[in-house]
Amino acid sequence: MNKLAHMSGVSGRTLRYYDEIGLLKPARINSSGYRIYGQKEVDRLQLILFYRELELSLEEIADIIHQPNFNEIEALENHYAELMKKRAHLDKIIATVKMTIISKKGGRIMGDKDKFAAFKEKMIEENEQKYGKEIREKYGHETVKTSNAKLMGMSQEDFEVMTKIGEEIFTLLEKAYTTGDPASDVAQELAAKHKEWLMYSWTKYSPEAHAGLAEMYIADERFTAYYDKAVKGGTGFLRDAILIYTGQKR
Amino acid sequence: MNKLAHMSGVSGRTLRYYDEIGLLKPARINSSGYRIYGQKEVDRLQLILFYRELELSLEEIADIIHQPNFNEIEALENHYAELMKKRAHLDKIIATVKMTIISKKGGRIMGDKDKFAAFKEKMIEENEQKYGKEIREKYGHETVKTSNAKLMGMSQEDFEVMTKIGEEIFTLLEKAYTTGDPASDVAQELAAKHKEWLMYSWTKYSPEAHAGLAEMYIADERFTAYYDKAVKGGTGFLRDAILIYTGQKR
DNA sequence: TCTTGACCTTGACGCTGCGTAAAGCCTTAA
DNA sequence: TTAAGGCTTTACGCAGCGTCAAGGTCAAGA
């Protein structure tokens, strides 16, 4: 057993488990209860591992290898469809996570400029320490400057524009709030501006993710505190405006 | 409790579980032991659900929402990196599954032409029954013919070429086998031809997946039986040639 | 021959995030 | 007052093993 386990890179426990669930039985069991595997079993294990890598469940694998006239292609095609779904889902999640990171960073920028500035400087500093000397020697000082400017994936110009839009959102929120109606033109402009702000350092956008972020705003007191600084209840208003904007609410 | 559960779409059990692990405790518990939640808890749950959708584990979520000075951005960025890894992995799997499906279909084509022909005809027939009448009325007979020809993602011409390459592989295998060396020029030509055959109905290719398929060949007796029909031990030879071709072996 | 140590066995619990009973109190409408 | 429907806790189950624990088996050396 151990030989097989080491050969194929699986653990002894796994082999015992496969025996237990009837997926791979040893060729025979000797008088002292040891599991003895033959070449056939080695090959079978390879096949199992192959399918397992494809993320098929052990049960599905059992179906495929046990039943000689099982429709393998159909099973694989179903599995394929599931994997595609999974990937679509994953893509959505990845986009949302990235958006959340950016908006959190944005939240910091807006909520506490000094802190963020310090953070940014610290990163530039680290960058300097790591690569500065080497790059400076190779390409001169100008390159290093540019590199630092682009450090966070955006130019300093971009960075400033983003900050400005952030401020516009703030004033727009005050104005829109007076209408009292999250569906009003000004409120919808506000939501659009918020999207613009997100998109600034953003490539993919989905209404669902935008709406999800809005929901998060009211649940996270840092955001609540920030937007409510403009007007009391401002965060809730912004959320409602975004929900309407994204079509999640009427 | 039930109200909250219904409002937010989670089960009562989930709420109890979150209480149990200390993730979300109710505002208070009344004299009869009922869990009472307030607005603050509702918001907190929204936040939890948001993070949960991003596939963070409950433990990670707990870290984020409990510790006020926890480095959230870093946590999210780590999570982001993991998600990217996961997607890369998933892409690889998807490619392999697709390749496996195609090669299995190919295996059928080569291994049992009649069966496959019947299979193909059956699909065309089904296609006819489903859409034939409607399409024929709209676009005339010619369109339907073309549609059937493209049914399996390849034209009849493609199909024939693929079959032909399959046969070439067969003869090449016989020839290469006589050299006795899977690293020989002929054997490497064989491996290249095999890749060509795969690529015919294939868009993405990775050496790892090709090698994985080769390993599967010797583990699945249908393939073994087929390739060994050319020469005894042919399957093993083909595998070795592919492993060398893909750089998995020297 | 006996002991040592490496390897094998079965059995059992643990991990995640709940679903799903079972068995019994609490509340409310009829 | 009673029945119906909440609600509660307790506890097992799922997938795929990892990881002890407690003990049997094997070849080799003293």
Side-chain angles (χ1 to χ4, degrees), chain A residues 184-204:
Chain A
S184 69
D185 288 349
V186 200
Q188 289 306 294
E189 196 193 327
L190 167 70
K193 187 66 84 177
H194 186 257
K195 177 183 169 183
E196 193 192 330
W197 177 71
L198 288 174
M199 293 300 289
Y200 216 79
S201 46
W202 195 243
T203 48
K204 278 174 198 166

Side-chain angles (χ1 to χ4, degrees), chain A residues 201-213:
Chain A
S201 46
W202 195 243
T203 48
K204 278 174 198 166
Y205 173 86
S206 83
E208 292 78 17
H210 194 181
L213 193 68

